[in-house]
Amino acid sequence: MRSRIERIAVSTGGGDAPGLNAVINAATLAARNRGWEVVGIRDGFNGLLTPEDYPDGGLIELTRDRVRGIIHQGGTIIGTTNRGNPTAFPVHRPDGTWVEVDRTRELIDRFAEHRIDALILVGGDGSMSIGQHLHDAGLRLVGVPKTIDNDLDKTVSTFGFDTAVDFASQCIDRLFTTATSHGRIIVVEVMGRYAGWIALNAGMASGVHAILIPEIPFGLDPVAALIADRERHGAKFSIVCVAEGARPVGGEVSIVGRSPGQAERLGGIGAKVAAALEEMTGREARTVVLGHLLRGGSPTSFDRLLGLRFGGAAVRALDEGRSGVMVALDPPTVDYVPLAEATRRQKTVPLDCDSLLTARDMGINFGDEMPVHSTIGR
């Protein structure tokens, strides 16, 4: 039997992504139309775990007026964080050090104190894993997959990915003109910690000459050979697109630091690749890091619609008595999959997928094979 719902909460965690506000809009309206109250938790779960940090007590009432006109806006009106994991919550000690504390039971009690019957948790793989833990601890919740990396399993796409690829493609298009004018190698670093979907799709769409992704450990000899071949045929420029999580054969990912409660911050691989290629080819090389630019801005129409569909589906799932599931795109419908299945593994680029095979057919180099055909046509 379904338990009655009177009040739900929405939480957005992890990195921001275009389309988050569309989810909030649809979930709020769908819940309000069922007579439910809706609140947003500030900055992931921080609004409940550290309410003293917020003038409004850490919760924001999500009314029809509050969510009006936000579908096209990037970011999230309730805030987000990648440092608020309740199972390993960073606590600052008086001596200046940090310790991670499990505050799961406290968080569950806070939901009860605020009369919150269920949660819509919007986030990536880390947030969905937290959601599974909270569900096991007794919290009624439905997950909504969000990541520009598109690396969450069991859903064809996550919102934010289309916007990131579209923007990256536009940036690479612009870099083609300056690379051509100056006869340079330009290495474009994009996000993609464990999966190379952004680099692959944006690189293909823009016609770059080499793509380096986490799924294929790379060597730079093939890339340098490709650049030399292009120069012999009169093309004195080349564009390389590299995911932040790409790593050389036998090497490690490039790390720039780590903060308490966060995963290691990746970065710098683009500069390393550019420096090596400049030395190997004798051509001037420059690096452009798109970084957080990929997370910002207005979502594409695809990501707006996907966010709206996911938000509505999450409310329907709760209304049907479901819990511990994630909404997932399975065209032409949005389905529900157990969180345990969605978090079992990450969705990385299959080495035999059509996109990667097509890229190889086009002559795009992945740093794993010496070029056999001239790429002067590109």
Side-chain angles (χ1 to χ4, degrees), residues 83-85 88-92 98-101 103 260-261:
R83 302 183 186 183
N85 183 350
F89 197 83
V91 177
H92 195 201
W98 293 84
V99 62
E100 294 181 347
V101 178
R103 300 182 66 183

Side-chain angles (χ1 to χ4, degrees), residues 185 187 210 212 218-229 231-232 238 240 248 269-286 365 367-371:
I185 301 167
V187 179
L212 307 179
F218 66 85
L220 289 180
D221 286 337
V223 181
L226 177 144
I227 293 170
D229 180 66
E231 185 173 357
R232 283 194 298 271
S238 294
V240 179
I269 188 62
K272 293 176 181 178
V273 168
L277 289 176
E278 184 170 284
E279 182 177 348
M280 295 169 75
T281 65
R283 307 267 341 149
E284 184 178 4
R286 298 291 178 87
N365 194 279
D368 62 335
E369 296 178 351
M370 295 298 289

Side-chain angles (χ1 to χ4, degrees), residues 13-356:
D16 59 311
L20 280 167
N21 283 327
V23 177
I24 294 170
N25 174 277
T28 298
L29 296 181
R32 291 281 175 182
N33 287 337
R34 286 166 168 78
W36 303 349
E37 295 179 14
V38 190
V39 295
I41 305 173
R42 296 284 192 185
D43 301 336
F45 294 112
N46 287 356
L48 286 178
L49 292 174
T50 59
E52 64 278 4
D53 293 341
Y54 302 90
D56 56 13
L59 296 179
I60 174 174
E61 197 74 21
L62 294 177
T63 63
R64 297 177 190 275
D65 288 343
R66 188 68 184 81
V67 302
R68 182 178 295 122
I70 67 171
I71 294 174
H72 68 284
Q73 296 177 9
T76 163
I77 63 170
I78 59 178
T80 188
T81 182
N82 52 13
R83 302 183 186 183
N85 183 350
T87 69
F89 197 83
V91 177
H92 195 201
R93 288 171 166 167
D95 62 1
T97 61
W98 293 84
V99 62
E100 294 181 347
V101 178
D102 187 349
R103 300 182 66 183
T104 301
R105 190 66 259 167
E106 182 182 354
L107 179 61
I108 298 294
D109 291 342
R110 294 285 174 88
F111 275 98
E113 291 171 12
H114 289 280
R115 301 181 296 102
I116 298 171
D117 302 309
L119 171 69
I120 294 177
L121 176 60
V122 192
D125 58 334
S127 295
M128 294 303 104
S129 295
I130 293 171
Q132 177 65 55
H133 176 78
L134 294 177
H135 169 70
D136 292 341
L139 184 64
R140 184 174 178 180
L141 67 84
V142 170
V144 174
K146 172 274 322 170
T147 168
I148 65 169
D149 290 347
N150 197 37
D151 59 358
L152 258 168
D153 199 21
K154 301 301 180 181
T155 180
V156 169
S157 183
T158 54
F159 66 86
F161 172 65
D162 185 72
T163 304
V165 169
D166 184 67
F167 180 75
S169 299
Q170 293 181 45
C171 291
I172 296 172
D173 290 347
R174 290 171 179 262
L175 292 170
F176 258 90
T177 61
T178 186
T180 304
S181 299
H182 290 274
R184 289 173 175 153
I185 301 167
I186 293 187
V187 179
V188 186
E189 182 182 314
V190 300
M191 285 189 166
R193 173 179 286 267
Y194 305 112
W197 292 108
I198 295 177
L200 176 62
N201 283 267
M204 285 185 64
S206 302
V208 303
H209 308 104
I211 299 174
L212 307 179
I213 58 177
E215 293 84 351
I216 304 175
F218 66 85
L220 289 180
D221 286 337
V223 181
L226 177 144
I227 293 170
D229 180 66
R230 287 176 53 76
E231 185 173 357
R232 283 194 298 271
H233 288 83
K236 299 185 182 302
F237 77 98
S238 294
I239 306 288
V240 179
C241 186
V242 54
E244 63 181 350
R247 59 182 176 84
V249 174
E252 301 295 331
V253 295
S254 181
I255 298 171
V256 296
R258 184 181 188 275
S259 298
Q262 284 185 315
E264 291 173 326
R265 295 198 306 275
L266 304 188
I269 188 62
K272 293 176 181 178
V273 168
L277 289 176
E278 184 170 284
E279 182 177 348
M280 295 169 75
T281 65
R283 307 267 341 149
E284 184 178 4
R286 298 291 178 87
T287 309
V288 176
V289 181
L290 297 184
H292 285 79
L293 288 169
L294 299 175
R295 294 192 180 280
S298 181
T300 60
S301 58
F302 180 88
D303 280 340
R304 297 181 197 190
L305 290 170
L306 188 55
L308 293 171
R309 293 171 67 188
F310 278 174
V315 171
R316 291 196 299 275
L318 290 174
D319 198 22
E320 294 168 6
R322 300 178 186 267
S323 180
V325 298
M326 182 186 81
V327 300
L329 179 63
D330 183 17
T333 63
V334 172
D335 291 333
Y336 309 125
V337 298
L339 280 170
E341 292 185 13
T343 57
R344 189 168 296 157
R345 67 179 182 88
Q346 289 183 308
K347 184 177 68 178
T348 55
V349 176
L351 300 187
D352 61 350
C353 73
D354 174 77
S355 292
L356 197 147

